[in-house]
Amino acid sequence: MIGVTGANMSVNVPCDSTGNILRMDSAIVRKHFDRIGHFRILVIGRSNAGKTTLLQRICNTTELPEVFNSEGKKRGEHNIEDELVFRSNIGFIFHDSRGFEAGSEKEVKLMQKIFIDRSVTMKLEGRIHAIWYCIPLTDSARPIVAAEGLFFNDCNTGNVSVIVVLTKADAMELEAIGQLRDMGLTMKEARSQAHEVAQQLLTDVKRQIEDQLAGCKHNPNSCMNKVNADCDPLLRCTINALDDLELQ
Ligand SMILES: Nc1nc2c(ncn2[C@@H]2O[C@H](COP(=O)(O)OP(=O)(O)O)[C@@H](O)[C@H]2O)c(=O)[nH]1
Ligand SMILES: [Mg+2]
């Protein structure tokens, strides 16, 4: 599944063949989250991908999360095992891969171990329910780097769905202005046409990413289309991913 966020954090809505996701309205999505209680999400991505910003937006806050380890509350640096919770929305527990750009075998093995440990030993609440893999579009010429290759080829997340979130989609606007200026347009003309060109660039880069990930061993497998500027589509998509888990 692939979604897109920009500075205004618009997120793409998934369009699957049944159309279920699109029909679920925000109130129902929220009800599902309330019912589940603690929803545990692992957010992965390189440094500066926009992970923390995405979580803040989901939890409707600008505050930093509180960090808890197995001994209770802690301060400072956190690792993937620590639980991140925002006061504004205690229904979500996040785990942050932090800078996954190293893309080392060691990091992938640690991540793999967490999935295995949690799926074998934990009750539903303790398991990772979904993974949001953030890929920033700021370097759109090379959106997929070694870390993504390693994760999508070597990390078997088992039953846990991976939702790819393309972050910083607003970078496409700047790219579009640059291209239009190169074609000889004035700044004013370039600005007025930038949005349309940016949409096309976004479609192209998204397709390129999907194609690349489709060739990986553990590829994310559905697609999302841009609709509006809130986070509910990502939550819808996540709830949809959970359905499989609950059925088990
Ligand atoms: N232009 C733009 N900047 C963003 C966006 N999301 C995050 N940022 C900025 O990118 C930087 C890194 O964001 P952060 O959420 O801390 O990334 P993290 O390291 O993955 O947690 C910060 O300066 C954010 O303000 C976005 O969608 N568009
Ligand atoms: Mg962060």
Side-chain angles (χ1 to χ4, degrees), residues 48 50-53 78 96 98:
N48 276 321
K51 299 182 294 297
T52 304
T53 308
H78 55 267
D96 184 348
R98 299 193 65 232

Coordinates of all heavy atoms in Angstrom, one line a residue, residues 48 50-53 78 96 98, ligand 2:
N48 N 15.1 12.2 9.0 CA 14.5 13.3 8.3 C 13.4 12.9 7.3 O 13.1 13.7 6.5 CB 15.6 14.1 7.6 CG 16.2 15.1 8.5 OD1 15.5 15.7 9.3 ND2 17.5 15.2 8.4
G50 N 10.5 12.4 7.9 CA 9.2 13.0 8.3 C 8.4 12.1 9.1 O 7.2 12.2 9.3
K51 N 9.1 11.1 9.8 CA 8.3 10.1 10.6 C 7.7 10.8 11.8 O 6.5 10.7 12.0 CB 9.3 9.1 11.2 CG 10.0 8.2 10.1 CD 10.9 7.2 10.7 CE 12.1 7.7 11.4 NZ 13.0 8.5 10.6
T52 N 8.5 11.6 12.6 CA 7.9 12.2 13.8 C 6.8 13.2 13.4 O 5.7 13.2 14.0 CB 9.0 13.0 14.6 OG1 10.0 12.0 14.9 CG2 8.5 13.6 15.8
T53 N 7.0 13.9 12.3 CA 6.0 14.9 11.9 C 4.7 14.1 11.5 O 3.6 14.6 11.8 CB 6.5 15.6 10.6 OG1 7.8 16.2 10.9 CG2 5.6 16.8 10.2
H78 N 15.8 7.2 22.0 CA 15.0 6.0 22.1 C 15.4 5.0 21.0 O 16.0 5.3 20.0 CB 13.5 6.3 21.9 CG 13.2 7.1 20.7 ND1 13.2 8.4 20.6 CD2 12.9 6.6 19.4 CE1 12.9 8.8 19.4 NE2 12.7 7.7 18.6
D96 N 9.7 3.5 16.8 CA 10.3 4.3 15.8 C 11.7 3.6 15.4 O 12.5 3.4 16.3 CB 10.6 5.7 16.3 CG 11.2 6.7 15.3 OD1 11.6 6.2 14.2 OD2 11.2 7.9 15.6
R98 N 13.9 4.9 14.0 CA 14.8 6.1 13.9 C 15.5 6.0 12.6 O 15.0 5.6 11.6 CB 15.8 6.1 15.1 CG 15.0 6.2 16.4 CD 15.9 6.5 17.6 NE 16.5 7.8 17.5 CZ 17.8 8.0 17.6 NH1 18.6 7.0 17.9 NH2 18.3 9.2 17.6
Ligands
MG2 MG 12.0 11.5 14.4

